[in-house]
């Protein structure tokens, strides 16, 4: 509640290093300590680390070392958003599905699953549909071949049970991200995908 899509992405990034409650508290603390997200993007990791909220009882250098990875991850995320969008705003994920899909799938630090979550939130809990996903679902023979996002949405909606939209969104986008992994593509390591 009360956070925009960029800030929700920051919570997701911080949750890789701390609990959800700590990540949410950290985002609030960062917003209170800095003028804007660009100021955070260009700050030193040790400065950012001071605003992060964890249960660590350490002080001084030990505390900064403990929070460094989270602070660096946040800086990398903000830099990635800035490089991909040329600003620090992810509201374009609320635009048409093709624009949102292109923008979301370009965010490498957030990853496909994280970006798909933001697209899901941006579209009022509706499953995000975009061309790379449609191609994957066609390869898996879950939907027929199409380049129409409207037809693809209709076919995908037929696959999903009510209440399963978010778990499917996260799982299929994780699969999409790992499909072309050069060392261990997911279709070579997951038995269910090997069979399709």
């Amino acid at each position: 509640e009360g956070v925009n899509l960029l800030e929700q992405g920051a919570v997701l990034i911080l949750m890789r290093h701390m609990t959800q409650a700590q990540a949410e508290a950290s985002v609030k603390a960062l917003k209170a300590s800095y003028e804007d997200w660009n100021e955070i993007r260009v700050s030193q990791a040790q400065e950012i680390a001071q605003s992060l909220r964890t249960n660590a009882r350490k002080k001084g250098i030990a505390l900064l070392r403990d929070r460094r990875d989270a602070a660096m991850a946040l800086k990398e995320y903000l830099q990635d958003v800035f490089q991909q969008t040329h600003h620090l705003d992810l509201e374009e994920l609320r635009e048409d599905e093709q624009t949102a899909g292109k923008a979301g799938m370009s965010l490498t630090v957030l990853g496909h699953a994280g970006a798909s979550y933001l697209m899901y939130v941006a579209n009022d809990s509706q499953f995000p549909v975009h061309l790379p996903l449609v191609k994957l679902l066609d390869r898996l023979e879950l939907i027929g071949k199409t380049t129409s996002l409207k037809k693809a949405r209709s076919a995908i909606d037929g696959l999903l049970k009510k209440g399963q939209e978010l778990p499917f969104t996260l799982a299929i986008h994780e699969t999409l991200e790992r499909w072309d992994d050069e060392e261990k593509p997911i279709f070579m390591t997951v038995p269910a995908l090997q069979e399709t």
Side-chain angles (χ1 to χ4, degrees):
E1 292 296 319
V3 293
N4 62 36
L5 293 175
L6 178 75
E7 294 163 356
Q8 288 187 45
V11 169
L12 291 174
I13 292 295
L14 291 174
M15 283 174 56
R16 296 174 182 170
H17 303 276
M18 58 186 69
T19 69
Q20 181 175 343
Q22 292 167 341
E24 290 171 357
S26 294
V27 167
K28 286 180 185 175
L30 287 162
K31 286 172 59 175
S33 299
Y34 290 88
E35 186 174 320
D36 59 25
W37 285 98
N38 192 55
E39 186 180 351
I40 297 168
R41 180 181 70 88
V42 298
S43 293
Q44 296 293 320
Q46 58 269 26
E47 295 170 341
I48 296 168
Q50 293 174 11
S51 295
L52 300 181
R53 302 294 180 246
T54 64
N55 290 336
R57 298 184 188 272
K58 300 173 185 173
K59 294 185 180 185
I61 300 291
L63 179 64
L64 294 178
R65 265 194 230 119
D66 189 57
R67 296 178 182 173
R68 184 180 187 286
D69 289 345
M72 288 300 296
L74 182 61
K75 279 182 61 68
E76 289 171 19
Y77 161 70
L78 294 172
Q79 186 62 33
D80 187 36
V81 170
F82 185 77
Q83 286 179 319
Q84 298 303 324
T85 66
H86 307 294
H87 49 77
L88 286 173
D89 182 353
L90 291 177
E91 294 306 307
E92 64 198 73
L93 297 180
R94 297 186 192 280
E95 295 178 15
D96 68 275
E97 290 182 310
Q98 189 55 38
T99 301
K102 193 173 186 178
M105 296 302 100
S106 70
L107 299 172
T108 57
V109 174
L110 190 57
H112 288 4
S116 72
Y117 174 77
L118 294 182
M119 289 187 287
Y120 173 84
V121 169
N123 291 301
D124 300 319
S125 302
Q126 190 175 21
F127 183 82
V129 177
H130 48 86
L131 286 179
L133 178 70
V134 171
K135 289 178 185 177
L136 174 67
L137 293 174
D138 172 45
R139 281 188 218 151
L140 295 174
E141 298 177 358
L142 294 173
I143 65 170
K145 196 175 276 264
T146 183
T147 56
S148 165
L149 294 182
K150 189 174 185 178
K151 288 179 183 177
R153 170 160 302 288
S154 177
I156 293 167
D157 286 343
L159 296 172
L160 300 174
K161 293 180 182 172
K162 184 86 170 136
Q164 293 300 307
E165 297 87 357
L166 181 57
F168 185 74
T169 296
L170 298 175
I172 201 67
H173 281 86
E174 182 73 23
T175 302
L176 177 62
E177 183 167 16
R178 295 176 52 201
W179 191 268
D180 292 323
D181 185 301
E182 291 181 16
E183 293 180 24
K184 285 177 97 175
I186 195 168
F187 59 83
M188 296 297 289
T189 59
V190 175
L193 293 175
Q194 288 173 336
E195 293 173 14
T196 61

